[in-house]
Amino acid sequence: MAFFYCFFALAIRLKYPYRRLMKFLNTKSSISLAHVDALPIWRRPMVLLVLMSVAMPVSYSTWMALLNNFVIEVAEFDGVKIGWLHGVREIPGFLAVGVIALLLFFKEINLAILSLVALGFATAVTAYFPSMSGLLITTFIASVGFHYYETAKQSLELQWIEKKKAPKILGWLVAVGSAASLCAYVLIVLGWRYWNLTYEIAYGLAGSFTIVIAIICWLAFPKFENPTKQKRQLIFRKRYWLYYALNFAAGARRQIFIVFAAFMMVEKFGFQVHELTALFIINYIANIIFAPLMGLFVNYYGERTALCLEYLGLTFIFLAYGGIYYFGWGAGIAMGLYVLDHLFFALAFAQKTYFQKIADPSEIASTAAVVFTINHIPAVFLPVILGYFWINSPAFVFVVATLLAITSFILALMIPKEPSIGNETVFSKLIKNARP
């Protein structure tokens, strides 16, 4: 409360006009994207995207950083239970197509902000429910917030950012999110080692931070009107088939990494909270440095080359993960693979820019929701099934991931060098020329 008293005292002291304050807090004002240059820099769409890119990772990264230790040390989970937990976590992603219905009642930016509040709330209370049922409920709520936020944000990014600048800007947004996660991880490590930080305090602070930033996003920015009106119905396009396939394979492969790679660090090598979090810190330092460079790489060499490089690298990394179990390699190699794995995944935004180039501008929001659902179809059942395999053969799980990476590499070869509407795959021109 002292903060608010100081704020209003300062406002009066500086003779801050009442009308200007109300204008600042006016959430009903709207402005076309064509006129955003008239706004102060701090109220423009890119700043809003940056703030949201900070708000989400603080909660999500804190949740992920502490999860494996929390479920093993406090909730006493095994591979089967962690598989079920992550399976439930991905159900809202599978139902992301429901965003289309919500967009009949909410603007995309409003939906993104409300989703951030849901994510922050669920994160803040996670540690108070250390049971299977309690974690399933809080995880489900957090997942609704995370996935609906990501769906809306992805749509806004592709609508607000120019195609020529998209790879660079998306690379910088990845770096911003990584920096936010880095700050969260550093505080977790310091808190655990020196300040006797508890799960309750860590989760509570992270969730509260996300909620505060979401409120700022709601109050401080006008509602930006997109130049192209978005279609509000379910849309499947035959010409988007490659984009759908890439996302399906990526969802399955990504799920194995998220669920089992970090779990391996705790189960096999006995990593403590501060040790696992330190590994995450290394990951995000690498992302801060390399994500903008990756944006330049995609901008210069194109989506096809970038995605082929990502999937080829992941193929060898997942093979090496399996080698940890087959050949008994130590924690040092596992840590190196984990960092490289995370770094290659940062190239995934090339999928977004590929879609931006081939998409009808009016179908971006609808397709974003559809693709999020496609991405999470394997994520709903795969962790559960592989959780049972993990108990008997962890290496088999990474063999499956290797096969998925090879599949993604083959699909990426089908992306043309210069994708566009009418040139969605390398077969598009051949099909057109074959028609009488």
Side-chain angles (χ1 to χ4, degrees):
M1 290 299 293
F3 170 80
F4 293 103
Y5 288 135
C6 292
F7 173 79
F8 285 111
L10 181 62
I12 294 172
R13 178 83 174 175
L14 298 176
K15 298 181 179 180
Y16 201 110
Y18 174 78
R19 290 182 180 179
R20 290 187 64 189
L21 180 61
M22 291 299 102
K23 185 178 181 180
F24 170 76
L25 297 176
N26 183 11
T27 61
K28 295 183 180 180
S29 64
S30 62
I31 185 170
S32 170
L33 287 176
H35 301 110
V36 294
D37 290 342
L39 292 172
I41 293 177
W42 61 273
R43 297 193 73 196
R44 294 181 185 178
M46 290 305 103
V47 177
L48 178 55
L49 288 176
V50 167
L51 277 178
M52 292 194 298
S53 295
V54 169
M56 186 280 289
V58 170
S59 276
Y60 181 74
S61 296
T62 300
W63 187 84
M64 288 296 295
L66 300 177
L67 177 67
N68 289 288
N69 291 89
F70 182 70
V71 298
I72 290 174
E73 297 171 7
V74 181
E76 299 181 346
F77 275 26
D78 56 19
V80 174
K81 289 183 178 180
I82 195 69
W84 275 104
L85 180 69
H86 283 283
V88 169
R89 182 175 69 87
E90 297 301 340
I91 291 175
F94 177 72
L95 300 176
V97 71
V99 168
I100 298 173
L102 292 176
L103 290 179
L104 295 173
F105 307 97
F106 299 97
K107 291 184 177 181
E108 288 159 280
I109 184 59
N110 294 342
L111 178 60
I113 291 171
L114 289 174
S115 298
L116 282 176
V117 172
L119 171 62
F121 169 76
T123 301
V125 302
T126 291
Y128 296 98
F129 299 92
S131 64
M132 181 68 172
S133 57
L135 283 171
L136 289 179
I137 293 172
T138 56
T139 296
F140 183 83
I141 296 172
S143 184
V144 169
F146 171 77
H147 287 100
Y148 279 36
Y149 160 78
E150 282 292 326
T151 303
K153 177 173 173 282
Q154 177 176 314
S155 173
L156 293 172
E157 286 173 342
L158 298 183
Q159 293 177 65
W160 290 357
I161 303 173
E162 297 178 22
K163 291 182 181 180
K164 292 182 179 180
K165 298 180 180 179
K168 295 179 183 179
I169 294 177
L170 289 176
W172 278 108
L173 289 176
V174 170
V176 167
S178 297
S181 297
L182 175 63
C183 291
Y185 289 155
V186 168
L187 290 174
I188 289 173
V189 171
L190 294 176
W192 233 263
R193 287 181 66 91
Y194 303 111
W195 305 328
N196 295 320
L197 191 65
T198 64
Y199 289 111
E200 289 82 1
I201 294 174
Y203 278 128
L205 289 176
S208 300
F209 177 86
T210 298
I211 292 173
V212 169
I213 296 297
I215 293 172
I216 292 173
C217 291
W218 176 266
L219 295 177
F221 293 86
K223 299 303 174 277
F224 302 108
E225 298 291 342
N226 300 319
T228 303
K229 186 176 181 180
Q230 295 296 299
K231 296 177 180 178
R232 304 301 188 189
Q233 65 263 29
L234 192 63
I235 295 175
F236 286 95
R237 295 284 185 230
K238 185 178 179 180
R239 64 189 187 88
Y240 297 155
W241 72 267
L242 181 56
Y243 183 58
Y244 297 152
L246 285 167
N247 274 275
F248 182 86
R253 187 187 65 253
R254 176 76 171 169
Q255 199 60 30
I256 294 174
F257 170 70
I258 290 176
V259 176
F260 296 105
F263 190 74
M264 174 189 68
M265 297 295 181
V266 178
E267 184 185 62
K268 184 173 178 62
F269 298 112
F271 275 41
Q272 299 299 311
V273 167
H274 64 279
E275 294 171 326
L276 190 60
T277 306
L279 182 59
F280 292 156
I281 288 173
I282 297 172
N283 280 337
Y284 284 103
I285 290 175
N287 263 357
I288 292 169
I289 296 171
F290 289 106
L293 298 177
M294 290 177 178
L296 294 174
F297 182 88
V298 174
N299 202 51
Y300 186 80
Y301 290 102
E303 288 78 11
R304 176 181 177 175
T305 301
L307 290 174
C308 283
L309 177 63
E310 177 192 356
Y311 302 143
L312 187 61
L314 291 175
T315 298
F316 289 107
I317 287 172
F318 283 126
L319 281 173
Y321 271 134
I324 291 173
Y325 289 91
Y326 282 119
F327 304 112
W329 295 337
I333 292 177
M335 291 171 64
L337 291 173
Y338 193 85
V339 173
L340 288 174
D341 196 343
H342 204 84
L343 194 59
F344 273 110
F345 272 125
L347 277 171
F349 66 80
Q351 285 187 14
K352 295 181 183 180
T353 58
Y354 163 64
F355 172 66
Q356 187 185 37
K357 292 177 179 178
I358 67 171
D360 180 334
S362 66
E363 297 175 355
I364 289 177
S366 175
T367 305
V370 169
V371 165
F372 247 78
T373 294
I374 292 172
N375 182 274
H376 287 79
I377 290 173
V380 172
F381 63 84
L382 200 61
V384 177
I385 295 174
L386 293 181
Y388 288 98
F389 281 104
W390 181 268
I391 293 176
N392 298 314
S393 178
F396 175 78
V397 173
F398 295 117
V399 170
V400 173
T402 301
L403 295 175
L404 289 168
I406 293 172
T407 302
S408 296
F409 177 77
I410 295 171
L411 290 171
L413 291 174
M414 301 179 191
I415 298 174
K417 290 185 178 180
E418 296 181 359
S420 60
I421 296 176
N423 188 36
E424 294 85 5
T425 73
V426 293
F427 308 115
S428 299
K429 290 184 179 179
L430 296 175
I431 294 172
K432 287 181 181 179
N433 293 334
R435 290 175 181 171

